[in-house]
Amino acid sequence: MVPCCPPITAGELSQADAERMAAMFKALSDPVRLRLFSRVASHPGGEACVCDISDVGVSQPTVSHHLKKLREAGLLTSERRGTWVYYQVAPSVLAAMSAMLDLRT
Amino acid sequence: MVPCCPPITAGELSQADAERMAAMFKALSDPVRLRLFSRVASHPGGEACVCDISDVGVSQPTVSHHLKKLREAGLLTSERRGTWVYYQVAPSVLAAMSAMLDLRT
């Protein structure tokens, strides 16, 4: 996924850019999903085994659903190694979201 | 509204912080709402009259609904002056969201 967009102060977002960015913000719009995401992001190297992050007080299928949404939005990537799936933060996508909201730029 | 939180790489978000931040991300999770927000943010001084930003291809009640959601989430403030309502970006809330997603911090 190619990150977008110019800072939000630079001008009105196009419809296409608005749809792409809204989908990313939507991925972080659920508290459980945001906590799961923060668990991956705060692991050393921005990577975590699903076995290390799943005890957030919801069922395993719910955890899987949230991780899938984060992956589909491009905020996480994943890789299976042996028994476990590992999740990695996608730094370029996060940088795009952060830069878009940074009024200093 | 007091902005929160530490960078997402700093550790797991508390439930309370996750709920607050998820509500802010939710406010930007709709393409029309995000475009309206970008219209205010890109106006000189980060302020715009509702009369200048409403032609985004949806009805006036829908525009009002979206602006209310942005206000409730703390991303916009508003002020009536004479006939019109003016909307202002809340810089501290945007800065909190941006900083949270900034992996360099």
Side-chain angles (χ1 to χ4, degrees), chain B residues 10-46:
Chain B
E12 185 184 344
L13 281 173
S14 70
Q15 183 63 28
D17 282 352
E19 282 173 11
R20 293 175 61 201
M21 293 305 292
M24 293 180 199
F25 288 122
K26 189 166 192 171
L28 299 182
S29 70
D30 177 277
V32 173
R33 203 145 67 221
L34 189 52
R35 286 185 76 199
L36 271 172
F37 185 68
S38 78
R39 285 192 157 200
V40 177
S42 61
H43 252 247

Side-chain angles (χ1 to χ4, degrees), chain A residues 8-9 11-13 15 18-19 21-22 25-26 28-31 34-35 37-39 41-42 91 94 97-98 101-103, chain B residues 8-9 11-13 15 18-19 21-22 25-26 28-31 34-35 37-39 41-42 91 94 97-98 101-103:
Chain A
I8 203 150
T9 48
E12 185 184 345
L13 282 173
Q15 183 63 27
E19 281 172 12
M21 294 305 292
F25 288 122
K26 189 165 192 171
L28 299 182
S29 70
D30 177 277
L34 188 53
R35 286 185 75 200
F37 185 69
S38 78
R39 285 193 157 199
S42 61
L94 240 66
M97 295 171 78
S98 176
L101 300 177
D102 189 347
L103 299 182
Chain B
I8 202 149
T9 48
E12 185 184 344
L13 281 173
Q15 183 63 28
E19 282 173 11
M21 293 305 292
F25 288 122
K26 189 166 192 171
L28 299 182
S29 70
D30 177 277
L34 189 52
R35 286 185 76 199
F37 185 68
S38 78
R39 285 192 157 200
S42 61
L94 241 65
M97 295 172 78
S98 176
L101 299 177
D102 189 347
L103 299 182

